[in-house]
Amino acid sequence: MKSYRKELLITSPKRRQILNITDQVDGAVRESCIQEGLVLVNAMHITASVFINDDESGLHSDFEKWLEKLAPEKPYDQYAHNGAEDNADAHLKRTIMGREVVVAITKGMLDFGPWEQIFYGEFDGKRKKRVLIKVIGK
Amino acid sequence: MKSYRKELLITSPKRRQILNITDQVDGAVRESCIQEGLVLVNAMHITASVFINDDESGLHSDFEKWLEKLAPEKPYDQYAHNGAEDNADAHLKRTIMGREVVVAITKGMLDFGPWEQIFYGEFDGKRKKRVLIKVIGK
Amino acid sequence: MKSYRKELLITSPKRRQILNITDQVDGAVRESCIQEGLVLVNAMHITASVFINDDESGLHSDFEKWLEKLAPEKPYDQYAHNGAEDNADAHLKRTIMGREVVVAITKGMLDFGPWEQIFYGEFDGKRKKRVLIKVIGK
């Protein structure tokens, strides 16, 4: 069994942003030289998400609007977590979107359906964040 | 380390449907001859879900009603994604339900609690869809 | 490839509770003697969750309030699943929070970001429940 580890560094200039990281994950899988296995991709921060969906800007604005409806940022004092911090909504939004994805690797490549793309979802940005890529297989 | 890959083909006659795929996943695990490991089961489409819950028809109708409340199909023009398409709600519903499950394999079998069953959740059906099963282990 | 399996037994005295199980998962990873791999941690019951977030009591009370808004426990008769049972809301709450997490193992340890902690989320307690920990790697 082989394993490979890589971190992506991400700094979003905005509080909330959706970034396509498929190419970086694909690059890490190639660097691993693993032909058959699994790759775990997870946010290392609890106010961010890694998820798989469509790379379509209309859908991404729908996600923003929808998450604000389900877990609004303001008023800040509606959340017990806020006080020293103001990011309770980001913890909830990330819960909806998910922390991680696990993707199959087949013949050395991400084993994807036709429209699957991997995204980093930032919900409390303007600071350095990390994404972990861990590949295991043979 | 051994690996095994299988696709399930699914065509739902309805826009939304929940299908129990536990037997197919169990069959793939047996075909893999893997005794100890993990199986990843994921929708290969971004308007469908693979999730684990109870095989109870009342609960499945509760899911339908609940997802329609959290991410209603209509009016279509409430979503920026809709226009050429009308399935923005399906992308959101699948986000709530999740893309994938990872299940332990122990002694050659799905290592499940008493009521765990694997479901395919279709939210934009009436066309061919695929589910990926990837098994790794020894 | 090596594998290791362990069950945690949990009995929550309350209907809903969030319990930090990071130390138990960390202990299982050490017992496995696996240096590089993945650990799957999942609820074995369909009204409970395993998730990763912040160990902050204000946030945990925000989760309780938020989940009650998205999937209220009462009135019981709003759910088709309820009748012999009264826990339909628990199935929905667990869906939001997620069944499982997969965490990388690097140099024999949980490969975590600075604030990541693993929690068991109980949504239908007052009875014995189990969490499965499955480690694979080398």
Side-chain angles (χ1 to χ4, degrees):
Chain A
M1 206 206 80
K2 294 193 286 188
S3 71
Y4 184 76
R5 179 192 194 278
K6 187 171 191 173
E7 283 184 16
L8 305 180
L9 300 176
I10 292 171
T11 307
S12 166
K14 297 197 282 185
R15 184 178 172 107
R16 288 192 289 276
Q17 194 160 21
I18 292 174
L19 299 166
N20 190 329
I21 58 170
T22 311
D23 285 351
Q24 289 100 310
V25 176
D26 183 60
V29 169
R30 288 167 196 273
E31 288 158 26
S32 76
C33 297
I34 286 171
Q35 296 297 303
E36 299 292 327
L38 298 176
V39 55
L40 167 71
V41 189
N42 69 266
M44 299 185 78
H45 300 263
I46 51 192
T47 52
S49 171
V50 171
F51 66 96
I52 287 176
N53 218 303
D54 197 0
D55 197 359
E56 199 279 306
S57 61
L59 181 66
H60 294 186
S61 68
D62 291 331
F63 272 128
E64 162 64 20
K65 190 175 158 191
W66 183 62
L67 291 169
E68 265 295 281
K69 194 178 75 178
L70 294 183
E73 177 186 339
K74 299 174 186 173
Y76 292 126
D77 66 4
Q78 73 187 296
Y79 299 112
H81 180 63
N82 288 339
E85 302 205 72
D86 66 1
N87 64 4
D89 69 300
H91 291 272
L92 305 183
K93 287 177 170 103
R94 113 70 174 257
T95 299
I96 295 276
M97 299 304 288
R99 166 188 180 259
E100 77 216 13
V101 296
V102 177
V103 182
I105 299 169
T106 302
K107 297 181 181 172
M109 296 178 67
L110 292 168
D111 195 339
F112 265 160
W115 299 103
E116 290 191 286
Q117 294 279 295
I118 306 175
F119 295 94
Y120 174 78
E122 177 62 80
F123 304 111
D124 185 31
K126 303 180 185 176
R127 44 179 150 167
K128 286 183 190 165
K129 299 279 187 91
R130 290 180 292 153
V131 168
L132 177 61
I133 301 171
K134 186 89 182 187
V135 193
I136 71 165
K138 65 177 176 182
Chain B
M1 205 205 80
K2 293 193 285 188
S3 70
Y4 184 75
R5 180 192 194 277
K6 186 170 191 172
E7 284 184 15
L8 305 180
L9 300 177
I10 292 171
T11 307
S12 167
K14 297 198 281 186
R15 184 177 172 108
R16 289 192 287 276
Q17 194 159 23
I18 292 174
L19 299 167
N20 190 329
I21 58 170
T22 311
D23 285 350
Q24 289 99 310
V25 176
D26 184 59
V29 168
R30 288 167 196 272
E31 288 158 27
S32 77
C33 297
I34 286 171
Q35 296 297 303
E36 298 293 325
L38 298 176
V39 55
L40 167 71
V41 188
N42 69 265
M44 299 185 78
H45 301 262
I46 51 193
T47 52
S49 170
V50 171
F51 65 95
I52 287 176
N53 218 302
D54 197 359
D55 196 359
E56 199 280 306
S57 61
L59 181 66
H60 295 187
S61 68
D62 291 331
F63 272 128
E64 162 66 19
K65 190 176 158 190
W66 183 61
L67 290 169
E68 265 294 284
K69 194 178 75 177
L70 294 183
E73 178 187 337
K74 300 174 184 172
Y76 292 126
D77 66 3
Q78 73 188 297
Y79 300 113
H81 180 62
N82 288 340
E85 303 205 70
D86 66 1
N87 63 5
D89 70 300
H91 291 272
L92 305 184
K93 287 178 170 102
R94 113 71 174 257
T95 300
I96 295 276
M97 298 304 289
R99 166 188 180 260
E100 78 215 12
V101 297
V102 178
V103 181
I105 299 169
T106 301
K107 297 182 182 171
M109 296 177 68
L110 292 169
D111 196 339
F112 265 161
W115 299 103
E116 290 191 287
Q117 294 279 296
I118 307 175
F119 296 93
Y120 173 78
E122 177 62 78
F123 304 112
D124 184 30
K126 304 180 185 176
R127 43 178 151 167
K128 286 183 189 166
K129 300 278 188 93
R130 290 179 293 154
V131 167
L132 177 61
I133 302 172
K134 185 90 181 187
V135 193
I136 70 165
K138 65 177 177 183
Chain C
M1 205 205 80
K2 293 192 285 188
S3 70
Y4 184 76
R5 180 192 194 278
K6 187 170 191 173
E7 284 185 14
L8 304 181
L9 300 177
I10 292 171
T11 307
S12 167
K14 298 197 281 185
R15 184 176 172 107
R16 288 192 289 276
Q17 192 160 24
I18 292 174
L19 298 167
N20 190 330
I21 58 170
T22 311
D23 285 352
Q24 289 99 309
V25 177
D26 184 59
V29 169
R30 289 168 196 273
E31 288 158 28
S32 76
C33 296
I34 286 171
Q35 296 297 302
E36 299 292 326
L38 297 176
V39 56
L40 166 70
V41 189
N42 69 265
M44 299 185 79
H45 302 262
I46 51 193
T47 52
S49 170
V50 171
F51 65 95
I52 287 176
N53 218 303
D54 196 1
D55 197 359
E56 200 279 307
S57 61
L59 180 66
H60 294 186
S61 68
D62 291 332
F63 272 127
E64 162 65 19
K65 191 176 158 189
W66 182 62
L67 291 169
E68 265 294 283
K69 195 177 74 177
L70 295 183
E73 178 187 339
K74 298 174 186 173
Y76 292 125
D77 65 5
Q78 73 188 294
Y79 300 112
H81 179 64
N82 288 341
E85 301 205 73
D86 67 1
N87 64 4
D89 70 300
H91 290 272
L92 306 183
K93 288 177 169 104
R94 112 72 174 257
T95 299
I96 295 277
M97 298 304 288
R99 167 189 180 257
E100 77 215 13
V101 297
V102 177
V103 181
I105 299 169
T106 302
K107 296 180 182 172
M109 296 176 68
L110 292 168
D111 195 339
F112 264 161
W115 299 102
E116 289 191 288
Q117 295 280 295
I118 305 174
F119 295 93
Y120 173 79
E122 177 62 78
F123 304 111
D124 185 31
K126 303 180 185 175
R127 44 179 150 166
K128 285 184 191 166
K129 299 278 188 93
R130 292 179 292 154
V131 168
L132 177 62
I133 302 171
K134 185 88 181 189
V135 193
I136 70 164
K138 64 178 178 183

